[in-house]
């Protein structure tokens, strides 16, 4: 019996050996083929435009922030459901009076240039943006509520706040809360926007303006090596071209999807279209620092002149809704104050009362490819304004150029410009304060109203939620009446993804999150 058992054992081993030697590479004994079967792949993302700057504290556009979310990590971030979760911080505590937040940091984390991550790196990053002389875009985002950043120990940092601020953690979870390598900041100065170094899962490898940005997986990422080899952003302003790239496989992800292509793409069994809510609205900003837009009757007239329902139903195929306030209902503190109805006759009457003669010339500027159907919407608005007697000079621009010429109403001297604002914090404070306070960092209309200034300051410093909501409701009513913008629509996010790609999702603030992407 022992001999028989031995012979059976030997035959079995010979059989397994033969199978091993004759097997396909994917199952050979070396394991190399098995490793090749799961080799990370390259992911290609076609976007309507390209990022403008990759310095998180000096950018204000979502496309740039989509990129910096790959390169950088923050103390805290958001999960798929928009809830605050740890990232570079392991945990945190808030003092009983709400004026100090203390973070305990992860050990052993390094930046992409091998510089150690510690409390000093956090302080250097925030001291930089809190220094008014640096004139960084996100200065007011943090300076309004952060008083001081303290290095408590190598792996503990604390923030002293000027007052208890409810959305403080949410603000730190936004792209602007990204932590730079101190070495990179020292060596590159303002040049960090073109060659960023963070502690995130991807490293910027190449940026060919107008063509592509390539991000390579960071092999030493503290959270584990990414599941794709690289991510390439390609700017593709033409809507139909992005859809074709998705269909042919030239792109794995596209954003945005043009509404007229949604049904066709959804009918392709190799593709998915992600439709999600958004904190972003689309509007036309009027330069209130110059005539005739310094007259509230003119601004109200232009709000009556626009057929917003048709824009939503026809141009966006229903993927959106007419704005009923200065920010969307997905933002905390929302209350409807009602839209200006389409009433061209009332628009003409108000223009006449303001002394605006028929044929008065104005300019209307728009980007092309940045926002969903941006050029088409702007052309429609041009037609509405001409129908009430204005002569409208229409101009369209590539996104990078457009951003550079629409930064300041007095300096750039524009008349009406298309804009879109997404409250990245999901809170009414950041939905309104940058745009409508006299000193707001993104006050593109030059709007100044003492009552609005007072209300928004009160809303920021009030801790009771019901009181805050009442304050923001009052502010929304004043803003509607003063009409510095033509509020058109609240967006939906439409993202196309090939079905062999998983782990792609969006936040309501228009962030396209690709860090967890897997391509099969």
């Amino acid at each position: 019996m022992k001999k028989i058992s031995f012979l059976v054992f030997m035959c079995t081993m010979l059989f397994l050996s033969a199978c091993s030697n004759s097997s396909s590479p994917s199952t050979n004994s070396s394991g190399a083929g098995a490793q090749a079967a799961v080799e990370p792949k390259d992911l290609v993302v076609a976007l309507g435009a390209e990022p403008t700057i990759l310095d998180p504290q000096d950018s204000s556009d979502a496309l740039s922030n989509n990129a910096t979310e790959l390169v950088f990590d923050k103390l805290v971030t958001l999960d798929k459901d928009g809830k605050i979760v740890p990232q570079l911080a392991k945990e945190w505590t808030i003092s009983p009076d709400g004026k100090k937040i203390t973070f305990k940091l992860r050990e052993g984390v390094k930046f992409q240039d091998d510089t150690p991550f510690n409390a000093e790196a956090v302080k250097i990053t925030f001291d930089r943006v809190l220094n008014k002389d640096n004139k960084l875009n996100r200065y007011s985002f943090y300076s309004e509520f952060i008083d001081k950043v303290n290095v408590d120990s190598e792996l503990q940092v604390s923030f002293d706040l000027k007052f208890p601020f409810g959305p403080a953690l949410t603000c730190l979870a936004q792209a602007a809360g990204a932590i730079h390598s101190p070495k990179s900041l020292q060596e590159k100065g303002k040049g960090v926007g073109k060659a960023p170094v963070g502690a995130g899962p991807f490293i910027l490898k190449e940026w060919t303006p107008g063509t592509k940005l390539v991000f390579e997986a960071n092999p030493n990422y503290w959270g584990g090596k990414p599941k794709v080899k690289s991510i390439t952003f390609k700017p593709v302003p033409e809507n139909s071209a992005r859809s074709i790239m998705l269909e042919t496989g030239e792109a794995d992800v596209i954003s945005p999807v043009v509404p007229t292509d949604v049904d066709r793409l959804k009918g392709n069994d190799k593709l998915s279209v992600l439709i999600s809510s958004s904190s972003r609205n689309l509007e036309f900003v009027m330069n209130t620092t110059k005539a005739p837009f310094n007259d509230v009757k003119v601004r109200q007239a232009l709000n009556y002149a626009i057929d917003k329902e048709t824009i939503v139903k026809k141009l966006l195929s229903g993927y959106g809704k007419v704005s009923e306030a200065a920010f969307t209902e997905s933002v905390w503190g929302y209350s409807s104050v009602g839209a200006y109805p389409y009433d061209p006759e009332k628009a003409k009457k108000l223009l006449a009362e303001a002394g605006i003669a028929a044929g008065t010339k104005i300019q209307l500027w728009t980007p092309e490819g940045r926002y969903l159907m941006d050029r088409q919407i702007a052309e429609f608005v041009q037609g509405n304004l001409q129908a009430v007697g204005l002569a409208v000079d229409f101009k369209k621009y590539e996104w990078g150029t457009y951003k550079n010429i629409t930064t300041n109403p007095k300096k750039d001297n524009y008349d009406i410009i298309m804009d879109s604002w997404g409250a990245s914090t999901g809170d009414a404070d950041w939905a309104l304060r940058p745009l409508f306070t006299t000193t707001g960092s993104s006050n593109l209309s030059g709007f100044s109203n003492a009552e609005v200034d007072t209300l928004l300051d009160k809303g920021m410093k009030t801790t009771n939620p019901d009181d805050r909501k009442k304050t923001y409701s009052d502010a929304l009513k004043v803003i509607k009446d003063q009409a510095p913008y033509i509020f058109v629509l609240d967006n939906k996010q439409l993202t196309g993804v090939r079905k062999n790609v998983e782990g792609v999702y969006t936040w309501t603030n228009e962030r396209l999150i690709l860090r967890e992407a897997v391509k099969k």
Side-chain angles (χ1 to χ4, degrees), residues 419-430:
D419 192 47
S420 180
W421 184 259
S424 56
T425 63
D427 186 272
D429 168 68
W430 197 246

Side-chain angles (χ1 to χ4, degrees), residues 450-461:
E451 185 178 4
V452 171
D453 285 348
T454 299
L455 286 167
L456 297 186
D457 185 66
K458 178 182 177 183
M460 179 173 59
K461 296 176 180 176

Side-chain angles (χ1 to χ4, degrees), residues 8-9 135 152 217 225 279 380 441:
V8 169
F9 173 77
K135 298 180 180 179
D152 301 331
K225 188 175 178 179
S279 65
F380 184 89
S441 59

Side-chain angles (χ1 to χ4, degrees), residues 137 140 285-289 406-410 414 417 419 421 432-449 452-453 484-485:
N137 186 281
S140 66
V285 179
M286 291 175 277
N287 188 343
T288 66
T289 68
T406 57
T407 61
N408 184 297
K410 291 183 178 179
Y414 43 75
I417 58 172
D419 192 47
W421 184 259
L432 298 178
R433 179 163 52 90
L435 308 184
F436 301 110
T437 56
T438 301
T439 58
S441 59
S442 296
N443 186 348
L444 300 182
S445 65
F447 177 67
S448 179
N449 180 280
V452 171
D453 285 348
Y485 288 12

Side-chain angles (χ1 to χ4, degrees), residues 347-365:
K348 291 177 184 177
K349 182 175 181 293
L350 286 169
L351 288 172
E353 289 176 6
I356 305 302
T360 295
K361 295 181 179 179
I362 62 171
Q363 289 188 331
L364 173 64
W365 296 356

Side-chain angles (χ1 to χ4, degrees), residues 49-71:
E50 73 174 333
T52 56
I53 185 172
L54 301 189
D55 179 352
Q57 287 82 39
D58 204 25
S59 67
S60 62
D61 65 293
L63 289 173
S64 295
N65 292 334
N66 286 342
T68 60
E69 286 287 351
L70 296 175
V71 176

Side-chain angles (χ1 to χ4, degrees), residues 9-23 27 29:
F9 173 77
M10 289 301 296
C11 288
T12 301
M13 293 303 294
L14 287 168
F15 174 77
L16 292 173
S17 176
C19 289
S20 175
N21 290 335
S22 61
S23 65
T27 58
S29 58

Side-chain angles (χ1 to χ4, degrees), residues 224-244:
K225 188 175 178 179
K227 295 176 182 176
V228 292
K229 183 179 180 182
S230 70
I231 297 177
T232 298
F233 285 5
K234 291 186 177 181
V236 184
E238 178 56 45
N239 290 322
S240 61
R242 289 195 302 277
S243 294
I244 292 170

